[in-house]
Amino acid sequence: MRIDVITLFPDFVRQCSEVGVVGRAQQRGLLQVETWNPRDYATDNYRTVDGRTFGGGPGMVMMIEPLRALFGALREASDEPTHVVYLSPQGARLTQDRVRKLAARPRVALLCGRYEGVDERLLAHEVDEEISVGDYVLSGGELAAAVVIDAVGRLQDGALNDAQSAQQDSFSDGLLDCPHYTRPETDALGTVPPVLLGGDHAAIRRWRRKQSLGRTWLRRPDLLAQCVLDEESRALLDEFRREHFAAQHLEAGTGPQD
Ligand code: 4FV
C-alpha cells in the first residue's frame, strides 16, 4: 500500500512513520509513505501557501494554487487511483471499520490542513473522504494523519508478527479488548486470574470473551448496542453482570435482595 501525505511538516510525518510496526512494514515493503510539501509548489518568492480568510475574522486559510499543482504532480506519480482523505473535525469519525476499508486500498493520499483549514473549492475538487480523529481541534492535520498511517499500516498483511493479533484487537469484533497480564504471577498489586494459568484454552477463550463483553457493557454501551451477540455471548454477559452486581452489593454491604 502507498500513502502520500500532503503536509507543511514532512519531517514530522516521516519520523512518525519510521518507528515500530509501521517502520517495519515499510522496511518489509508492505507500506510506502511519501510526503509532499505545498511550499514546494508555491510560485512566489515567499513560497506563500496561505491567505487571509475572506469575510474577515482571525486566521489564515491554505490557498488553492500550490495544492492544485501538487495534486497534479501527485496523481502523475503513480498509475494507481488515489483515494484522497482530508483530516478535519468536520469529517466522519475514524473507526476500526473505516481503518479496515482504507487499509484495503492500493493508494491513499492524506491532506493535512494547517491554520483555519483549506480553501473549500480545493476540497470540493480533490477530496474523496473527510475523516476526523475526534471532536477536538488540533493545530494541524499531521497528528491525525499519523494516527491513520499507524492504524492502516499495522493491518497490512505481514506487518504484525503474530498474524493473529489483528483479529484479537479491540474493536476487531466491535468489542473492547480483555485485560492482559504477564509475569510475575503474583505481585503486591495482585495475582493473575487463575484461569489464565490453567492451560484450558476453551476456558481462557470464554474468560476473555466475558471480560470483553463486560467491559464494553460498563464502558461503551454504545458499542454493545451495535453488536449482535450469539447465545454464548449473551450468557457470558449475563454471568458478568450478575457477578458485577453481586460484587457491588458486597462492597455496599447490602444483600442482593435490598
Ligand atoms: C482534526 C481532527 C483537526 C483543524 C484546523 C487542523 C485541525 C487545522 N483533523 N481530526 N480533530 N484538524 O483538529 O482530524 O487546520
Side-chain angles (χ1 to χ4, degrees):
M1 176 185 190
R2 173 174 169 153
I3 301 179
D4 294 278
V5 186
I6 296 111
T7 170
L8 292 169
F9 298 95
D11 300 346
F12 173 81
V13 171
R14 258 199 302 280
Q15 274 150 25
C16 292
S17 321
E18 284 159 2
V19 297
V21 168
V22 175
R24 193 178 55 209
Q26 290 208 75
Q27 281 142 24
R28 291 176 176 174
L30 307 169
L31 179 70
Q32 178 190 0
V33 177
E34 301 295 341
T35 59
W36 302 72
N37 187 339
R39 228 171 264 296
D40 298 341
Y41 294 83
T43 50
D44 67 317
N45 304 348
Y46 304 97
R47 302 176 77 205
T48 305
V49 296
D50 60 326
R52 301 186 62 69
T53 184
F54 277 128
M60 305 294 278
V61 176
M62 292 179 79
M63 296 163 59
I64 293 176
E65 192 33 50
L67 291 168
R68 180 183 14 239
L70 186 158
F71 274 106
L74 183 147
R75 292 182 193 283
E76 286 302 306
S78 156
D79 44 21
E80 288 279 7
T82 302
H83 180 74
V84 178
V85 172
Y86 176 49
L87 290 310
S88 96
Q90 285 71 48
R93 283 299 291 280
L94 184 65
T95 61
Q96 191 65 12
D97 193 45
R98 260 199 187 84
V99 165
R100 273 192 287 268
K101 289 188 174 78
L102 287 173
R105 292 179 177 278
R107 190 178 183 203
V108 168
L110 302 177
L111 173 57
C112 302
R114 278 276 157 176
Y115 317 109
E116 299 312 305
V118 177
D119 189 295
E120 194 62 26
R121 295 165 291 180
L122 184 281
L123 299 176
H125 188 260
E126 297 286 359
V127 170
D128 302 303
E129 183 179 8
E130 209 159 317
I131 288 178
S132 170
V133 291
D135 296 340
Y136 41 80
V137 181
L138 302 168
S139 54
E142 284 75 15
L143 282 170
V147 166
V148 172
I149 293 168
D150 189 282
V152 163
R154 64 190 298 284
L155 291 188
Q156 300 306 303
D157 292 346
L160 295 170
N161 284 339
D162 170 338
Q164 250 193 325
S165 56
Q167 274 82 31
Q168 286 169 4
D169 270 353
S170 300
F171 310 109
S172 57
D173 54 3
L175 297 176
L176 299 184
D177 202 3
C178 62
H180 296 285
Y181 300 84
T182 184
R183 54 186 160 61
E185 285 180 20
T186 58
D187 179 89
L189 297 180
T191 59
V192 173
V195 63
L196 298 178
L197 307 171
D200 175 344
H201 295 294
I204 290 169
R205 186 192 60 71
R206 269 197 313 280
W207 180 86
R208 284 174 170 162
R209 181 83 178 154
K210 179 177 166 184
Q211 295 303 317
S212 284
L213 290 159
R215 281 177 154 201
T216 309
W217 168 64
L218 284 170
R219 302 179 188 194
R220 293 291 308 278
D222 58 304
L223 288 176
L224 200 56
Q226 296 165 32
C227 290
V228 178
L229 300 183
D230 58 21
E231 182 43 42
E232 182 202 31
S233 297
R234 280 199 295 278
L236 287 169
L237 181 53
D238 289 348
E239 204 178 301
F240 183 97
R241 279 199 276 239
R242 275 197 306 281
E243 290 164 4
H244 174 76
F245 291 132
Q248 274 192 327
H249 285 307
L250 216 56
E251 231 165 76
T254 59
Q257 71 288 350
D258 300 346

